Amino acid sequence: IQQYYPNDYYSYCFDYSHPEKMPVNEAWAVKIIDLLKLTEKHSVLDWGAGSVAGCYALYKQGIDTVRAYDPFAVPNETPEGIKIQNTIPNDRNFDVIIMSHSLEHVDAPGVEIEKALNILNDNGYLVISTPNCNSMLFHKHMEHWIQIDAPRHKTIFNPDALITLCRGMGLAPINLEYNGAMFGVYHSRELSEGKTYKESKKRLESLTKEDNAGMLIKSTMVAEWLNEIHYGDQFTAIFKKEVKHG
């Protein structure tokens, strides 16, 4: 499968020594911190961290103990002390483990979650963001839906399926949010019209530099509306690890 992940795949194309160049999503980090009431004392592991942009976003918001795990990463450490490793950390447990668009890339999602639970503290939180196969974009565009991303995406969930899987593993769902973005709306439409992803991306880059930005605004509005009616093409589910008694 590695042949389908080129060297310039977007998760790997950032220089860890220059975190200021990373596309940091601070709004995402703030939302996670607020929902889980995290403080600088909590420990967070980004599972499938890719470019480590998520780790850096959390660090900027005051979370001191942030670790990155990605099986394809080159072991490293950022100037801020964010440790990056390509093996599962076994030297400590974590209060929060985040799987942001990584679970759909693995062969056995249940096995991957079980591995994460082994290093998640009791009453800790597992945050999973992933594409939604029950989205309106999938039903409309089918094989042209950008989130299919074959063969890199191996399992695509809907919220009910993911919740059922996690409940069976001792995880209690505490929050569900639909958060599809302009990316899915725009590129799925372009692919349905016969364009390749590279052609679609090139056109998108040109739109941001010209007056024709209305296309982007319209795609964003459609994505937000789909999220409101619970048909967005991505979702984030948060689970709490239940303490076993006896």
Side-chain angles (χ1 to χ4, degrees):
I1 193 69
Q2 187 60 25
Q3 65 180 308
Y4 297 104
Y5 290 87
N7 291 333
D8 62 349
Y9 187 61
Y10 61 87
S11 287
Y12 308 138
C13 58
F14 301 103
D15 184 352
Y16 297 145
S17 64
H18 294 283
E20 71 278 0
K21 296 181 181 179
M22 293 181 183
V24 176
N25 189 340
E26 293 191 25
W28 167 85
V30 169
K31 181 170 289 188
I32 294 294
I33 290 169
D34 287 346
L35 277 172
L36 302 182
K37 297 179 170 53
L38 301 183
T39 69
E40 68 277 0
K41 296 180 180 179
H42 289 97
S43 56
V44 180
L45 174 65
D46 189 349
W47 187 292
S51 69
V52 197
C55 293
Y56 186 61
L58 291 165
Y59 175 83
K60 284 192 68 177
Q61 294 301 317
I63 305 300
D64 292 336
T65 305
V66 183
R67 190 87 64 91
Y69 159 63
D70 194 300
F72 301 123
V74 176
N76 207 328
E77 189 168 321
T78 72
E80 298 75 21
I82 299 172
K83 188 175 181 180
I84 304 157
Q85 54 194 102
N86 55 17
T87 56
I88 297 172
N90 57 12
D91 59 330
R92 65 164 301 148
N93 280 14
F94 295 86
D95 300 309
V96 180
I97 295 178
I98 298 173
M99 295 180 173
S100 181
H101 292 276
S102 59
L103 194 63
E104 62 268 23
H105 291 263
V106 303
D107 290 320
V111 173
E112 200 77 2
I113 291 171
E114 190 65 46
K115 293 176 183 177
L117 291 181
N118 289 334
I119 57 171
L120 181 64
N121 286 328
D122 288 343
N123 294 315
Y125 297 98
L126 178 64
V127 181
I128 300 176
S129 295
T130 192
N132 174 22
C133 69
N134 194 34
S135 64
M136 192 172 291
L137 291 181
F138 171 63
H139 293 304
K140 178 179 180 179
H141 297 288
M142 301 300 289
E143 70 271 18
H144 301 297
W145 178 43
I146 189 67
Q147 295 283 13
I148 287 180
D149 197 17
R152 292 187 289 247
H153 287 181
K154 299 181 178 182
T155 304
I156 302 181
F157 289 94
N158 62 49
D160 287 342
L162 182 62
I163 289 171
T164 298
L165 173 65
C166 289
R167 272 187 170 144
M169 303 177 74
L171 290 163
I174 64 167
N175 193 75
L176 176 65
E177 177 182 284
Y178 295 84
N179 45 24
M182 174 276 295
F183 173 89
V185 177
Y186 175 83
H187 287 295
S188 298
R189 181 174 60 244
E190 293 282 289
L191 267 61
S192 288
E193 294 176 357
K195 297 182 180 67
T196 66
Y197 174 68
K198 287 186 176 180
E199 292 170 340
S200 176
K201 184 180 178 183
K202 185 176 181 180
R203 183 181 179 215
L204 178 61
E205 291 169 347
S206 71
L207 288 176
T208 61
K209 299 175 182 178
E210 300 174 359
D211 296 337
N212 202 7
M215 178 78 75
L216 306 182
I217 296 173
K218 181 179 179 181
S219 295
T220 299
M221 292 176 65
V222 170
E224 292 175 349
W225 173 68
L226 292 175
N227 292 333
E228 289 176 4
I229 63 172
H230 296 176
Y231 276 101
D233 77 334
Q234 300 177 165
F235 68 94
T236 297
I238 300 179
F239 301 90
K240 187 173 184 178
K241 183 180 179 181
E242 297 179 320
V243 180
K244 296 180 180 179
H245 299 284

